[in-house]
Amino acid sequence: MKAAITSKTYDYLDQRNAEFDSDFDEFIKNTTALKESIAQTIEDNYKGIWETTHGVKFLNRFAKVSKKIPLKQMSDKYLRIIKYCDKEVDKVLKVFKKQKQNPPVPRNFPPLAGRISWSRALLNNLKEEVESVSTHPLLKSLPETAELKKKFTYVSISLNDYENQILQIWMNHNVWSAEKSLRKKLLILDEKSDEIKINFDFKIKLMIREAECMRQMDLPSPAMTLILLSKSEHFSKIQNLLKDLLREFLATVKKVKLEVRPLFLPQLVRLSAMLSPAFTTLDWTNPGWKEFVNKVYDAIKDFDILVTR
């Protein structure tokens, strides 16, 4: 096209030159064909974009391009975007109704906080898409957008009501059961495996984790649960110390060979008896755990010296 123009030798300003008019008509014809070809290429390459979350973003770009390139059926693209969002609203509502009794809780989330996180994720993803349509200059005035907003409002209310229901369950649960759990002794003997285990009630762990996740989502928790949350590092410290203590205890006992173990029986009995307070008197509210841990460590050290000799 460029060569066809620059190769002409006549005077372009000569008004009597009829050849220029013919060449100009041909030039307009060729540029129009080029624009149509470019427009068709764009349409073919992006024909599936309108049924995705990127539809609105590309709509703005297409609007700019259409000022230079004659893109076809822009109104059809508007309706395809709205229809896609409408399907997404229906999809979320269907998923919510189907899974709300037993939703897929996010990894590392406790049951109640996980349900709220799940419902919020559904709402937030949908909200972003609907708002991108309802605030778009070209889409917001369409009647289909008004219908979309009505449907989204219904879904939004349903999800918010669900969150409030779960929150009420959380706020009204029996927090005083934690007191009973904290009265459990520090150690327990597992009857099935005959192993000594740390006796920290799973309910306390769950309540602390729920409170932690609720706080991350800017949601309230019962006062008793907040107290447990504030003590979470304290409980973790005790558990870690007990875990190390038991590991050291078992490692030291295993140093005594079977053939000489009868000779160390009195010392083994005394060493084992040092653990007795954690089975009988010390619970998770008793400050005596520090003294207990120190005494057992001293006894283990003395026994280890005896065995080594």
Side-chain angles (χ1 to χ4, degrees), residues 259-272:
E259 56 269 23
V260 297
R261 191 163 291 181
L263 299 176
F264 287 92
L265 186 59
Q267 291 85 354
L268 284 170
V269 171
R270 283 197 295 271
L271 181 61
S272 299

Side-chain angles (χ1 to χ4, degrees), residues 177-186 198-208 235 239 284:
S177 62
E179 185 175 358
K180 181 179 179 181
S181 297
L182 292 174
R183 293 297 179 185
K184 291 185 176 182
K185 307 313 173 189
L186 296 180
I198 299 170
N199 192 27
F200 191 65
D201 199 327
F202 177 75
K203 292 179 182 178
I204 302 296
K205 293 182 181 179
L206 186 60
M207 290 173 68
I208 290 174
F235 294 137
Q239 291 179 78
W284 296 93

Side-chain angles (χ1 to χ4, degrees), residues 145-270:
T145 301
E147 290 299 319
L148 174 65
K149 290 170 66 176
K150 287 181 181 179
K151 186 178 290 188
F152 170 73
T153 299
Y154 170 75
V155 175
S156 178
I157 291 173
S158 299
L159 289 169
N160 285 326
D161 287 346
Y162 177 80
E163 177 177 323
N164 290 331
Q165 290 172 12
I166 300 300
L167 186 59
Q168 286 303 311
I169 293 173
W170 167 241
M171 294 299 294
N172 296 325
H173 78 280
N174 183 17
V175 295
W176 297 108
S177 62
E179 185 175 358
K180 181 179 179 181
S181 297
L182 292 174
R183 293 297 179 185
K184 291 185 176 182
K185 307 313 173 189
L186 296 180
L187 298 177
I188 189 173
L189 182 64
D190 191 321
E191 295 180 356
K192 294 182 179 180
S193 62
D194 285 333
E195 294 181 357
I196 300 174
K197 293 188 175 181
I198 299 170
N199 192 27
F200 191 65
D201 199 327
F202 177 75
K203 292 179 182 178
I204 302 296
K205 293 182 181 179
L206 186 60
M207 290 173 68
I208 290 174
R209 183 59 183 152
E210 289 279 12
E212 185 178 24
C213 291
M214 292 293 183
R215 184 174 63 180
Q216 291 173 356
M217 294 187 290
D218 294 324
L219 293 173
S221 293
M224 179 64 180
T225 312
L226 291 176
I227 294 174
L228 291 176
L229 178 60
S230 68
K231 294 285 187 180
S232 60
E233 291 187 6
H234 170 73
F235 294 137
S236 296
K237 180 180 179 180
I238 297 176
Q239 291 179 78
N240 290 334
L241 286 173
L242 289 175
K243 190 181 297 182
D244 293 340
L245 180 68
L246 291 176
R247 187 186 301 115
E248 190 73 20
F249 172 81
L250 293 174
T252 303
V253 170
K254 288 179 181 179
K255 286 183 180 180
V256 182
K257 297 180 180 180
L258 289 175
E259 56 269 23
V260 297
R261 191 163 291 181
L263 299 176
F264 287 92
L265 186 59
Q267 291 85 354
L268 284 170
V269 171
R270 283 197 295 271

